[in-house]
Amino acid sequence: DGVYKSTDGGGSWGQITTGLQRHHIVVSIVVSPHSDDVVFAVDRNGTLLSTTSGGASWEPVIGPEGVTAVAFAPDDPDLIVVGDARGGVHRSDDGGRTWTETGFAGTATDSISTVALSPAFSTDRTFFVGTRSDGVYATDDGGGTFSAVSSGLTDRRVTALALSPTYPSDSTLWAVSWEEGVFVTMDGGSRWSSADEGLTTNDQADLLDRPHFDELRIASPPGRDEPPTMFLAGFDGLFRNSGTSAWEELDTQVPSNI
């Protein structure tokens, strides 16, 4: 049914589908951290679509095909990295007008599930790629070369990656896996350890061939003496971690008095 947009915090929604065709069944949306007018969407066939008008009009992006992951550079509005279903990673330095294939092509044998760039990419040239079954890879030269960084990652079916907002100083990032939950590394991926305390799974996910854990979002940056608050979407519920050792499941049921 296209794409919908809310400008009042979810109180009301309007359809924004100009330029979208009937076969463009959108499965994911990524909003630029630099402007909420700039949005990339991916349909179920892996077609990459974009708008620079907040959804007033959409057009297909010429370049990568079979797209499965999209990420913006936090410190460069023109730099975008996408992954595809055949294990390729593509980079654009001009807002998506032109693309080049990075050195990751052919490194992995399965599709790219997620891409995450350093908050200081323009300086450290670092980003990470998560794959469907081959773990995590990292580059520190902007995508010229990659190395596997999955030691300690006992479930290599990666569904999401998130870098600490202060990654340049603390080298911390989190990986979400299909079944085992969350892993954390504090050395840029050299060694991972489990951070799944409090997380629960549901057998229905296996029956439906769906991941037990999916999206991870850092909702607030760490303060001087406070860790970040994170939210994790799971098949069995929504979980929050505010810097403690354990995750807590949140009540997502609609109150009966609303």
Side-chain angles (χ1 to χ4, degrees):
D1 197 23
V3 178
Y4 288 78
K5 177 181 179 180
S6 174
T7 58
D8 58 7
S12 61
W13 295 83
Q15 194 176 39
I16 49 171
T17 57
T18 301
L20 296 180
Q21 304 301 315
R22 186 178 296 273
H23 63 275
H24 289 146
I25 299 176
V26 174
V27 295
S28 65
I29 294 175
V30 181
V31 181
S32 168
H34 307 283
S35 170
D36 55 13
D37 284 335
V38 178
V39 183
F40 279 73
V42 179
D43 75 6
R44 65 179 180 180
N45 296 317
T47 300
L48 187 62
L49 307 149
S50 71
T51 177
T52 57
S53 57
S57 63
W58 295 85
E59 60 182 23
V61 176
I62 304 301
E65 298 178 350
V67 173
T68 52
V70 181
F72 289 89
D75 62 346
D76 184 345
D78 292 322
L79 196 143
I80 306 158
V81 177
V82 304
D84 66 35
R86 61 181 180 81
V89 177
H90 312 262
R91 170 178 167 172
S92 174
D93 293 273
D94 55 13
R97 289 184 292 276
T98 61
W99 297 85
T100 57
E101 196 162 22
T102 70
F104 192 78
T107 300
T109 58
D110 57 350
S111 67
I112 306 303
S113 54
T114 182
V115 178
L117 283 75
S118 166
F121 177 83
S122 295
T123 302
D124 62 28
R125 317 295 287 170
T126 295
F127 69 87
F128 295 83
V129 173
T131 65
R132 296 292 183 190
S133 64
D134 200 28
V136 179
Y137 290 81
T139 177
D140 60 6
D141 59 6
T145 58
F146 288 81
S147 58
V149 287
S150 299
S151 179
L153 201 63
T154 52
D155 183 356
R156 299 194 176 189
R157 297 167 295 174
V158 179
T159 58
L161 292 169
L163 274 69
S164 164
T166 52
Y167 177 83
S169 60
D170 61 29
S171 300
T172 297
L173 67 147
W174 294 266
V176 180
S177 74
W178 183 281
E179 186 173 11
E180 295 185 18
V182 179
F183 293 81
V184 64
T185 175
M186 290 177 281
D187 54 15
S190 294
R191 181 69 185 176
W192 297 85
S193 59
S194 177
D196 65 348
E197 184 179 350
L199 298 179
T200 58
T201 59
N202 189 312
D203 290 342
Q204 291 187 44
D206 295 325
L207 293 174
L208 297 172
D209 194 29
R210 301 295 299 168
H212 287 274
F213 304 99
D214 200 350
E215 297 292 335
L216 178 66
R217 293 288 184 268
I218 298 176
S220 64
R224 180 169 297 179
D225 299 311
E226 298 179 355
T229 296
M230 299 184 291
F231 290 87
L232 172 67
F235 191 94
D236 202 37
L238 179 65
F239 302 87
R240 177 177 63 193
N241 189 301
S242 298
T244 61
S245 60
W247 293 83
E248 61 173 330
E249 185 172 357
L250 301 179
D251 182 7
T252 55
Q253 299 298 317
V254 178
S256 59
N257 61 344
I258 292 182

